[in-house]
Structures are given as C-alpha cells and as structure tokens.
Amino acid sequence: DKKLKPASKMVASMIHNKLTQSLDSERQKLMLWLDGAGKAGPFLSWLFEEFAHEVFFKGREFNVRPLTEVIPPVTLVIEAATGHYKRFKLEEPLEKMLANTYNIPDAPNLQSIDSYYENESGIWMFQMTRSFNHEEDLDGIVDVLKSLGHLERVKSNPSFAKLVFVVPSKMESKFREQKISNDPIFEGKTKVDEIVTADCSEINGIGEARKKILNSNGIFTIQQLLDAHKKKPITLVKTYIEEFLKKLGTFQDAERYQKIPQYVIGIDYSSASDEPTESYH
C-alpha cells in the first residue's frame, strides 16, 4: 500500500486549510447546539476560550466597551500572529515576553487572566468567560503585572493596565463591572491594624494543630506571630507567613489596583465573521 502525498506544498496548504475550516465549522455548530445545556457548561466554556484565542490570534480591530461610564469606548487593534503565538510562564525572562504578541499562559490554571497583549497604550489582560458573574483574584493580577515588570507603573498609573472580559456577543450588552477580590482574611477590613490583631489561625494554612503549638508558645495573634518569626524563623509555619506577607503587601495597595479599568469584548461564534480559518496550535 502506497501512502498518498500532496503533489506540492500549495496543494498541501489548500488541503490543510480546507480541513481546518471544516473542523472550525463543526466546532461552532457544536457550541451553538450546547448553548443552554447546563451540564455541558464547563465543556462549552473550554470550547469558547479556545475559539476566542484563535480569533485574537488571527488579529483584527476590536470594539472594546468600558464597564464604567466615566471611561470612553476604545478600539483595540491586535496584530495578526505570523505563524506563531507566544505562551508565557511567570518565571520567564522579561525579554521573552514580547510586545505586540498575543500571549497565552503556559499554565492552564493561572489566576485572573487567560492571555494578554501589550502595546503602546498599556497591558491588555484578557479573561474569557461565559458567566455574568466572574470574580477576579487580585493576587493573580498582581502576579502577572509583577512578572511583566509593570507593577510599579500600574501602582502610579492604574489605567496602564486594562482588564478585558471576553464573552459571547449575546452577553456583551448586559455584562457589568466585576468584583476584584482579595484574600478572605482581608474582607471588610481597611487597615493593617485590623488584620494583625486577628487570631493567628486566620492565616491560611494554620489549622487547629498548628494553632495549639503556637498558643503553647505564647503566640495568639497574627502580630505576635510576625514578631516572633522576625526574631527567629518559625519553620512550622514559615511558608504560610511568607505567603501572608505577600498578600498583605497587595492589600496595602489594593485601592490602587481597584482602579484598573475594566472592559468587555463580545465574540460571536454563530457568525462567519469570527470564524477562525487557521489554528493557533
């Protein structure tokens, strides 16, 4: 049996494009068919995210609606990727995170964003969702901004960062500003003093067993724990303390980060205009 081979690179390209278009068309039909099927929600969300990535990968001009009335609508032009896209890791060297390249995180569970695009106006952080309520994690946003070297700039100028929710077009007009949440230990608190006077077990990771050990050594509050740890590192809870101090730093600047403007983009997967003709894989 002889294997069939395309007669030329042009023929191979034509076959590839035709098959890709057919697969994309079938995927869109599946997405439309699954709309409204509750149990299929997670799978449909995954399909939509992959579809949206491909739309951005192709590049085009997008109408971006602000989620607060004081901000005017804007137009975002994403450059088409020339044969590749960029996956990024938080520990990657900054020079590898190129501007004007559509970036998708290497880790699928990165908090707060699914991708980002950087241009002269700032850093556009995208979050794909099919829910009208999509609470964002502040620590995740801070981690991304820090890894990109923009954290200090955003502290002084929050509008340099843009948080953009990407939703199905039928949801776009009803989508509203989303909550950016901090660690539960900081909920309802506005001052550091209110936090450090709380019980040491409020720190994530310190359960009843560790609390009893700390209490037996005269440590009851978070402040007492921090003071004791500063004098001599407490190996038992060292990791939890370090994580808490990191989150505490974010809390102290939370008011600035809350000013990061939010936007929404609608992607229509029932329209041929949004249909990707090539895969980003």
Side-chain angles (χ1 to χ4, degrees):
D1 294 338
K2 293 184 178 180
K3 294 182 179 180
L4 296 176
K5 293 183 179 180
S8 66
K9 290 184 178 180
M10 183 180 73
V11 172
S13 178
M14 291 172 64
I15 293 173
H16 174 268
N17 289 339
K18 188 66 177 177
L19 288 173
T20 300
Q21 289 175 6
S22 178
L23 288 172
D24 286 334
S25 176
E26 291 304 313
R27 178 180 56 182
Q28 286 174 257
K29 289 179 183 178
L30 177 61
M31 291 168 72
L32 290 169
W33 183 68
L34 291 174
D35 260 342
K39 292 184 179 180
F43 179 55
L44 184 53
S45 294
W46 177 79
L47 286 174
F48 175 72
E49 180 180 335
E50 296 297 299
F51 179 80
H53 281 316
E54 293 182 18
V55 171
F56 286 119
F57 171 69
K58 287 181 63 181
R60 74 164 197 228
E61 185 176 289
F62 295 90
N63 293 320
V64 187
R65 179 174 69 84
L67 295 177
T68 52
E69 296 180 358
V70 295
I71 305 173
V74 295
T75 298
L76 171 63
V77 178
I78 293 183
E79 302 286 343
T82 55
H84 72 283
Y85 65 99
K86 178 73 177 173
R87 281 194 180 272
F88 71 92
K89 297 180 180 179
L90 290 184
E91 65 272 17
E92 260 189 325
L94 186 60
E95 61 269 18
K96 289 188 177 181
M97 299 181 178
L98 306 176
N100 296 316
T101 301
Y102 183 65
N103 291 264
I104 303 172
D106 189 64
N109 60 343
L110 184 68
Q111 292 178 310
S112 300
I113 74 162
D114 291 315
S115 57
Y116 84 88
Y117 186 79
E118 188 175 352
N119 60 16
E120 64 281 353
S121 68
I123 177 78
W124 300 78
M125 302 178 292
F126 301 104
Q127 174 64 67
M128 283 64 166
T129 182
R130 295 185 68 258
S131 171
F132 282 110
N133 297 303
H134 194 106
E135 191 171 314
E136 286 295 296
D137 181 78
L138 179 56
D139 290 308
I141 293 175
V142 169
D143 283 344
V144 171
L145 292 173
K146 185 177 181 180
S147 70
L148 296 174
H150 293 318
L151 189 59
E152 294 305 316
R153 184 170 185 176
V154 172
K155 283 183 183 179
S156 60
N157 178 23
S159 62
F160 182 78
K162 289 91 172 163
L163 181 58
V164 185
F165 294 91
V166 182
V167 302
S169 57
K170 62 183 181 181
M171 293 174 54
E172 188 273 332
S173 64
K174 297 180 181 179
F175 199 81
R176 297 293 179 261
E177 187 175 14
Q178 301 297 302
K179 179 182 179 181
I180 299 179
S181 62
N182 211 325
D183 190 280
I185 192 175
F186 304 125
E187 287 296 322
K189 299 178 177 67
T190 58
K191 297 179 180 179
V192 173
D193 289 345
E194 297 178 76
I195 299 165
V196 295
T197 53
D199 191 274
C200 62
S201 62
E202 288 293 309
I203 293 180
N204 188 38
I206 298 180
E208 284 300 316
R210 290 185 173 88
K211 177 183 176 180
K212 287 181 180 179
I213 295 174
L214 293 173
N215 289 172
S216 67
N217 285 276
I219 298 172
F220 297 91
T221 68
I222 292 176
Q223 186 63 67
Q224 290 173 334
L225 178 59
L226 295 178
D227 291 341
H229 184 72
K230 189 174 181 179
K231 292 178 181 178
K232 184 179 180 180
I234 304 174
T235 307
L236 177 70
V237 291
K238 180 176 182 291
T239 301
Y240 307 128
I241 292 174
E242 290 174 349
E243 185 63 23
F244 169 77
L245 290 173
K246 175 185 171 184
K247 291 177 180 291
L248 184 62
T250 299
F251 167 77
Q252 291 174 301
D253 292 311
E255 188 175 347
R256 300 180 186 182
Y257 301 132
Q258 294 289 349
K259 295 178 181 178
I260 293 175
Q262 296 183 27
Y263 300 85
V264 64
I265 291 177
I267 298 291
D268 186 2
Y269 53 80
S270 67
S271 170
S273 63
D274 280 331
E275 183 176 336
T277 57
E278 58 182 322
S279 172
Y280 66 90
H281 293 292

